[in-house]
Amino acid sequence: MIMEEIQKAVRAALKELGIETGEIILEHPADLGHGDYSTNVALRYAKEAGMKPRELADQLVQKLKVKSLKFVEKVEVAGAGFINFYLSKEFFTERVAEILANGQHFGRNKSLAGQKVMVEYTDPNPFKEFHIGHLMSNAIGESIARLVEVSGAKVIRACWQGDVGLHVAKAVWGMWQKVESLKLQVESFDVKDLGEAYALGSQKYETDENAKGEVNELNKKIFDRSDEKVNELYDWGRKISLEHFEEIYRKLGTKFDYY
């Protein structure tokens, strides 16, 4: 790897100046104008070399230029003594060609072989809307899962679904109001209705003391499944909510091993 080649060259240049070191830290500068890699070795070892950081950095750059690192177009000193490395266009051209040639196999390795890793992500709550925060969690979680997977580990994808709790009771309360007032069949509820029911229950919980008491009572009944009518509302709402999530997961290319 180019990073390892640069580290090896810097280590050799330091050794020529009588400085032995095992670790060479390379970072990507925040400003691309400062190169592709940067190291602070001159600042770290200036005292040991009996030089000012900038002076040591200048000497190291001269030695690095003599070594003619492949794919390094330019090496220069910046600031108090940082050494910046600029990679050549040929380096990026070859990397892109390598990526295209390997396709889906690019980057696969065995660095995590033999390990088992659980990645938990997305975690939307049934009876509520799947919102942009869940989408962000899904994108990040799925990316991490795939990176770990191509590094050789066995990945277990997990999604924690909060299917009990006050938010559920608020939604079930809203469903109850609609069923009773509109004489609806529970099975006629769809995901949009569920969202409206949760919004209604949530709003009334904050503004109506009677409704708040009813929601709290419903919450207990949902936990202990002691009321047949409540169970019917809960089971249907949970069913259509989770089916809706699965529809979204299919579109996103996500799957879970454990819920």
Side-chain angles (χ1 to χ4, degrees):
M1 290 175 60
I2 186 65
M3 189 172 176
E4 292 170 349
E5 290 178 20
I6 293 173
Q7 289 171 323
K8 183 179 179 181
V10 172
R11 192 177 293 111
L14 282 167
K15 188 174 183 179
E16 287 181 28
L17 294 172
I19 300 169
E20 295 283 351
T21 178
E23 182 184 32
I24 302 294
I25 297 174
L26 288 179
E27 296 180 334
H28 293 293
D31 184 345
L32 292 178
H34 294 158
D36 298 290
Y37 287 106
S38 180
T39 182
N40 66 347
V41 292
L43 285 82
R44 290 181 63 191
Y45 295 104
K47 186 175 180 180
E48 185 177 333
M51 305 179 194
K52 293 180 179 180
R54 181 91 189 191
E55 182 185 355
L56 176 57
D58 284 330
Q59 289 201 25
L60 288 171
V61 166
Q62 293 307 312
K63 293 185 178 299
L64 289 167
K65 285 180 178 178
V66 171
K67 295 178 186 303
S68 300
L69 277 164
K70 187 181 180 183
F71 294 132
V72 175
E73 192 172 72
K74 182 172 66 172
V75 186
E76 65 179 20
V77 179
F82 290 95
I83 301 175
N84 295 338
F85 298 84
Y86 297 77
L87 302 181
S88 66
K89 292 178 181 178
E90 289 74 22
F91 171 81
F92 295 105
T93 301
E94 287 197 14
R95 294 295 79 72
V96 171
E98 182 185 351
I99 292 168
L100 293 174
N102 284 278
Q104 292 295 318
H105 297 288
F106 177 78
R108 289 188 178 276
N109 62 87
K110 297 296 183 183
S111 61
L112 298 178
Q115 295 191 38
K116 186 184 289 185
V117 179
M118 176 178 279
V119 185
E120 180 203 326
Y121 56 102
T122 311
D123 299 345
N125 287 330
F127 296 86
K128 294 177 71 176
E129 288 186 287
F130 188 105
H131 55 66
I132 195 167
H134 299 126
L135 185 62
M136 179 185 74
S137 172
N138 185 271
I140 294 171
E142 184 63 27
S143 297
I144 291 171
R146 293 183 187 189
L147 286 169
V148 173
E149 205 164 46
V150 299
S151 297
K154 175 179 173 55
V155 173
I156 299 161
R157 291 166 167 83
C159 183
W160 183 274
Q161 301 172 137
D163 59 0
V164 287
L166 195 56
H167 68 284
V168 175
K170 290 174 181 177
V172 172
W173 184 90
M175 292 173 71
W176 189 297
Q177 303 310 304
K178 288 201 169 196
V179 166
E180 292 295 308
S181 62
L182 302 176
K183 306 301 179 186
L184 297 174
Q185 294 294 315
V186 173
E187 290 78 8
S188 68
F189 265 77
D190 60 19
V191 173
K192 181 175 180 294
D193 296 324
L194 203 58
E196 292 173 355
Y198 170 75
L200 175 64
S202 186
Q203 187 257 330
K204 288 294 184 181
Y205 189 83
E206 300 300 327
T207 59
D208 186 324
E209 283 301 315
N210 288 332
K212 183 175 183 178
E214 291 171 358
V215 170
N216 288 336
E217 188 60 31
L218 270 176
N219 197 24
K220 296 175 186 176
K221 290 180 178 180
I222 290 168
F223 267 101
D224 59 29
R225 293 187 67 82
S226 59
D227 186 301
E228 189 175 333
K229 184 63 176 179
V230 173
N231 292 345
E232 182 185 5
L233 290 167
Y234 172 82
D235 290 344
W236 180 255
R238 184 180 186 278
K239 177 179 182 293
I240 61 173
S241 194
L242 295 182
E243 286 176 352
H244 176 60
F245 293 162
E246 289 302 320
E247 182 184 350
I248 294 172
Y249 299 150
R250 284 192 292 272
K251 292 178 179 178
L252 296 174
T254 295
K255 64 181 186 301
F256 294 101
D257 303 296
Y258 291 96
Y259 292 92

